[in-house]
Amino acid sequence: MRHLISIDDLTDAELRRIVDRGAEFSAGLVRRPAPLDGQVVGVYFAKTSTRTRTAFSSGSLRLGGSLIAYGPGDLQLNTGETTEDTGRVLSGMLDVLVARTAGPEAELRGWAQQGTMSVVNAMTAEEHPTQALTDLTTLVRHFGRIDGLRILYAGEGNNTAAALALALTRFPGVHFEVRTPPGYGLDESIAHRARAQAARTGATLVERSDMDGLTGGYDVIYTTRWQTTGTSKPDPDWRDIFAPFQVTPALWETSPDAVFMHDLPAHRGEEVVAEVLDGPHSIAFAQATNKMHSAMAVLEFVRTAATSPKAEEPAAAAAHRADRDLVAAR
C-alpha cells in the first residue's frame, strides 16, 4: 500500500516505472491485468473535472476495481468532520481514494494517516502530480525518451507547472524553461526542490518573467489555461499581464519540429490560439487520452508491490517502437 501525493514521494526508479507502464498501456503492449480485482476505489472531486475524473474512473474499472464517486457536497467534511477522521473511516471501506481538492496538500496527507487505503493526489493547490505523469507518458509515446528533451513552458507557474518542474528535472539532460508573467512564477519551495533535482541529474531549470531571448530549438512548447481551477487573480488587469505569454505560431519559427502540449481545458484566444491547438503540431488531445493510461499505471503502482522488469527492452523504447512499426505497416 503506497500513496502518491507529490512527485517527490517517488524515487527516480518509481517515477520511470509509472511513466513506462503508462506508455505500455497506451501502446496496447499489456495484456490487461486486474490488480484491482476485489478492490474499491473512491473518487472524490471537490472541484470540476473532465479528464482526470474520467481517467481514474475508467482506469479503475478497466483494472478490475469497483468505483464509488463523491461530489463536493457528499462528505461530512462540509459539516466539520476532520480530515483525519474522514480518512480513518474511508480506509475501512475503500482500498484507494483519488482526491481533487484544489486545497492544501496537507489535507491529503491527513487522509494518508492510516495503513490500509492508498491516497492519490488528483490535484491540490500546490501540485498536480498525475498530470505531470500523464505528460511524461505522452513524451515517451511521442519521442521514445525524456532524457535530453528541450521543453518550453509559457504561462502561469501553477500546480501543473510545479509538478512538471519536479518531474522533468529528474531526467538527465532535460532543459525545462519556464516563462511566466511577473509575480506568477513557480512557488519558491517548488523551484528550490526542482533546482536541487536538476543539479543531481544534470538537467536544467530556467525561470524568467518575460518572453524575450528565447533560444529556440525546443522539442515541446507547453501551456495551461491562465485561470486555474479553484483560483482567482488578485490583479484586475491580469489578462493584459498574461497577453505576451500567449502561444502563437511565431514560437515555431525557431522550433519548427516542436510539438504543442496543453493539459486542457483550453481557452482558444487566451493562452493559445486555435491555429496552434487544432493544428498539426498539437498532441494535446492524444495527451488527454493518455491520462487514462497513466491513471491505470498509478493505480497499479499504489496497489501492487515493486517487481523487476521482465522485458529486456525498456518499456519506453518498446512503446515508441510499436508506434513506428504501426506507421510503417500503414
Side-chain angles (χ1 to χ4, degrees), residues 1-4 35-36 39-44 56 60 65-68 70 90-91 93-99 114 116-121 295 298-304:
M1 191 276 298
R2 290 176 281 204
H3 308 295
L4 178 54
L36 300 185
Q39 299 191 35
V40 181
V41 178
V43 179
Y44 169 58
F56 275 99
S60 299
S66 301
L67 194 70
I68 299 177
Y70 306 101
L90 292 179
S91 69
M93 308 177 195
L94 300 176
D95 299 288
V96 184
L97 178 65
V98 180
Q114 39 70 41
T116 57
M117 178 182 72
S118 299
V119 177
V120 175
N121 178 2
V298 167
L299 290 167
E300 183 182 65
F301 171 77
V302 297
R303 297 309 299 177
T304 58

Side-chain angles (χ1 to χ4, degrees), residues 225-227 239 262 265-273 277:
R225 64 178 176 176
W226 289 341
Q227 191 76 315
R239 292 182 190 277
H262 192 305
H267 291 178
R268 292 169 176 83
E270 286 195 359
E271 74 275 8
V272 62
V273 299
L277 179 63

Side-chain angles (χ1 to χ4, degrees), residues 11 39 48 51 76 124 139 172 180 182 185 202 207 232 287 326:
T11 66
Q39 299 191 35
T48 57
R51 280 148 291 277
Q76 296 287 359
T124 58
L139 294 176
T180 61
E207 294 182 86
S232 60
Q287 178 185 357
L326 180 60

